[in-house]
Amino acid sequence: ARRKSTSAKTQEEVAEVEVPVEEEPEIEAIPEVVEDDTEIYLGRDEETGFAIIARFKKSFLARLIQSPEQTKEYFSQLKNAILSYKKTKSRISWNYDSVNSGRIKVLKFNVRGKTLCMYTALDAQEFEGTKYNVKAVTSKKYAEVPCMIKVSGPRKLKHALELIDILAEKLGLEKGEEKNDDYKLPFETTEALIAKDLIKE
């Protein structure tokens, strides 16, 4: 007598099996950006035994100067790309490098940790489920440029360059001469940057 296979399933049993459907994640809104600080250990208090630590605030330039060479190269390429559009100008402040076209905020560059971040005047929701993997930023400092992409490798650099072209088309920016300036800054120590007021206590 033939034995009936216990592993076989009837058509009805197969029909009852539920196949999970993966839903695309919503664009994540990230909160206020906390900039990098530098802490220097100075010793211990003789009476309490507590550690004495000096904390310093890094400017955008300080973070860029102390970032990896690859990060500096990405910044240089992206800045040249956006400034190749006519009537765009860059202004470096304590917190970031801003690019405007007249009164229009175009984008901002910042460095978080070792990673270059580019914030653009695009809507992150429009890129949901795309290769760009952008983030919506809720910080007031980036209210006019709330769409952020982290440029952490060659592939992300290519995506960021494409986003600049998309942004320029949206804003009606006219292409000018190609730029090839070197914005890479040599590394400097924390002590040297403190002396230049690029890092403050």
Side-chain angles (χ1 to χ4, degrees):
R2 293 183 179 177
R3 295 171 58 185
K4 201 170 186 179
S5 174
T6 57
S7 62
K9 291 187 176 181
T10 65
Q11 291 183 352
E12 293 180 357
E13 288 175 322
V14 172
E16 291 176 357
V17 175
E18 294 183 358
V19 178
V21 178
E22 292 185 1
E23 296 182 357
E24 290 188 359
E26 296 182 356
I27 293 291
E28 178 187 357
I30 60 177
E32 181 83 20
V33 175
V34 178
E35 312 298 358
D36 294 340
D37 289 335
T38 296
E39 291 186 350
I40 298 177
Y41 175 75
L42 300 179
R44 290 191 175 274
D45 185 283
E46 294 182 358
E47 295 183 3
T48 64
F50 291 143
I52 302 173
I53 299 201
R55 177 171 291 175
F56 299 91
K57 190 77 171 178
K58 287 186 177 183
S59 64
F60 163 74
L61 276 178
R63 293 193 296 275
L64 181 64
I65 287 169
Q66 295 189 331
S67 65
E69 288 303 310
Q70 188 178 50
T71 300
K72 296 176 185 179
E73 176 62 29
Y74 295 157
F75 170 71
S76 194
Q77 288 192 41
L78 290 169
K79 186 165 182 174
N80 276 308
I82 188 58
L83 292 182
S84 69
Y85 286 92
K86 293 181 179 180
K87 298 181 180 180
T88 53
K89 292 184 178 180
S90 164
R91 178 180 175 273
I92 296 177
S93 65
W94 178 267
N95 291 313
Y96 33 65
D97 185 350
S98 303
V99 177
N100 297 341
S101 176
R103 295 183 178 180
I104 301 173
K105 300 290 184 183
V106 178
L107 59 77
K108 291 180 179 180
F109 294 109
N110 204 344
V111 177
R112 297 176 61 191
K114 297 180 180 180
T115 304
L116 176 67
C117 297
M118 186 177 79
Y119 303 78
T120 65
L122 293 169
D123 183 357
Q125 293 295 331
E126 293 181 5
F127 298 92
E128 184 176 357
T130 68
K131 63 183 179 181
Y132 296 107
N133 191 28
V134 297
K135 303 291 183 183
V137 179
T138 60
S139 169
K140 291 181 180 179
K141 290 191 297 185
Y142 302 100
E144 295 176 283
V145 286
C147 181
M148 186 267 281
I149 181 171
K150 292 182 178 181
V151 187
S152 54
R155 185 180 175 189
K156 285 295 184 181
L157 172 64
K158 180 182 177 182
H159 293 168
L161 289 168
E162 291 174 2
L163 285 175
I164 286 177
D165 290 337
I166 293 171
L167 175 65
E169 183 177 359
K170 175 187 175 183
L171 298 178
L173 302 180
E174 184 182 351
K175 190 74 172 179
E177 294 182 3
E178 292 292 333
K179 301 286 186 180
N180 193 29
D181 296 325
D182 187 0
Y183 294 106
K184 300 188 295 293
L185 300 172
F187 178 85
E188 295 185 57
T189 64
T190 295
E191 290 75 13
L193 294 174
I194 290 172
K196 292 182 178 181
D197 290 330
L198 292 177
I199 296 180
K200 295 182 179 179
E201 186 172 356

